Amino acid sequence: MSLALFTLILLLGAFCAGMLGALTGLGGGVVLIPLITLGFGYDIRYAIGTSLIASIATSSGAAAAYIKEGITNIRIGMFLEIATTSGAIIGAAVAILIPTHFVAMLFGLVLLFSAVMTLRKQEEHIAVNSPFAAKLKMGGTYPSKQGMVSYGVRNVFGGYLIMTLAGILSGILGIGSGAVKVVAMDIMMRVPFKVSTTTSNFMVGVTTAAGAVVYLQRGYIQPGLALPAIIGVLLGAMAGSKILMNAQVKWLRILFSIVIGLMAFEMIYNGITHKL
């Protein structure tokens, strides 16, 4: 394969990853890692390193637009980032003790359950904060076609625990865990779906930054892979952020469930075949 064709395919794949990441709150690794490992034959550590860099780019490209539009809940994101960061430290510490293929299979089962729960959920949001969420002033508003919509937050402690799990998975597997973050906010804390995905986008960049530094130090981030991935992901994330503004929550839920369902099967397969 020529260098020009390689770069073009990687750019297009990264564009799709960025758009998908912006719409679903995922980091984009679900597209990039299979493309780089299965499509180009690279070692999975180089794919993860590129995916981590791309996740930062996705987060940066989409988060700025979502914050400007008033959809992202920065207060929730910063609070839960404490959980994911502490979890990532725990995950990095225990990563050498737990077989990663076992964690991958467990993660895949959790994602399958999350996909089903996301499709079954009918009520979009609650209007009133729980007492603890009220003290932390976590509720907010977001723009819609019908005007500004107010929402409340509940089950903060449960959401914090799931976010800690998301951080542990990030530390062990080197992923952004955007799927777990969206599920924690959407199902556990009852945050509206659009707010959950955009806040997850905001958080993924922070969570993956630490992991990216480790992969950079170990030489698993190559400029020839990272540069086209960053450019493609940034363009895709900006396009996805425009689409999300007018997208219907029902279709976003279906898209999210399909993506994390595919990710779940991939994780379980990689776990069974010991590729992780």
Side-chain angles (χ1 to χ4, degrees):
M1 181 185 299
S2 67
L3 180 61
L5 181 60
F6 169 83
T7 304
L8 179 61
I9 294 174
L10 185 55
L11 266 173
L12 291 175
F15 181 86
C16 294
M19 182 180 292
L20 202 60
L23 289 172
T24 60
L26 308 176
V30 66
V31 175
L32 280 178
I33 291 178
L35 175 64
I36 295 173
T37 54
L38 302 179
F40 299 137
Y42 275 84
D43 186 293
I44 192 169
R45 287 167 291 193
Y46 291 98
I48 292 175
T50 305
S51 173
L52 289 171
I53 289 290
S55 295
I56 298 172
T58 307
S59 177
S60 303
Y66 294 148
I67 291 173
K68 183 180 178 182
E69 293 293 333
I71 304 177
T72 302
N73 190 319
I74 297 177
R75 184 178 288 271
I76 291 177
M78 295 305 293
F79 176 77
L80 295 178
E81 196 60 50
I82 299 171
T84 55
T85 303
S86 59
I89 294 172
I90 296 171
V94 301
I96 59 174
L97 303 176
I98 302 176
T100 53
H101 69 275
F102 174 77
V103 179
M105 287 188 286
L106 180 63
F107 184 45
L109 292 175
V110 172
L111 289 180
L112 276 180
F113 176 76
S114 302
V116 175
M117 291 300 293
T118 301
L119 286 177
R120 289 185 60 185
K121 186 174 180 295
Q122 298 296 322
E123 189 178 358
E124 173 56 14
H125 64 273
I126 58 173
V128 181
N129 279 315
S130 68
F132 188 51
K135 287 183 179 179
L136 297 176
K137 299 180 180 178
M138 284 189 163
T141 59
Y142 71 97
S144 71
K145 291 181 179 178
Q146 292 75 36
M148 297 301 289
V149 178
S150 299
Y151 61 90
V153 178
R154 63 176 56 173
N155 296 327
V156 177
F157 184 66
Y160 192 92
L161 286 179
I162 295 179
M163 283 295 177
T164 304
L165 172 63
I168 292 173
L169 290 171
S170 295
I172 293 174
L173 299 175
I175 59 177
S177 296
V180 181
K181 291 172 180 173
V182 172
V183 168
M185 288 184 276
D186 178 47
I187 296 178
M188 180 62 70
M189 300 174 70
R190 307 294 299 277
V191 176
F193 194 72
K194 281 189 178 181
V195 180
S196 298
T197 55
T198 55
T199 304
S200 171
N201 255 314
F202 170 71
M203 296 175 65
V204 162
V206 180
T207 306
T208 54
V213 171
V214 175
Y215 276 77
L216 181 63
Q217 289 177 334
R218 293 178 180 174
Y220 291 130
I221 296 177
Q222 291 190 347
L225 286 174
L227 187 59
I230 290 173
I231 294 173
V233 157
L234 269 175
L235 294 175
M238 288 189 284
S241 65
K242 298 292 184 186
I243 296 173
L244 182 132
M245 302 299 179
N246 299 312
Q248 294 184 10
V249 172
K250 173 187 174 183
W251 295 111
L252 286 178
R253 284 187 183 281
I254 293 174
L255 176 64
F256 178 80
S257 297
I258 292 174
V259 172
I260 63 173
L262 292 174
M263 185 192 297
F265 286 118
E266 181 192 358
M267 295 295 286
I268 293 171
Y269 173 77
N270 286 335
I272 292 174
T273 56
H274 289 214
K275 290 184 177 179
L276 285 175

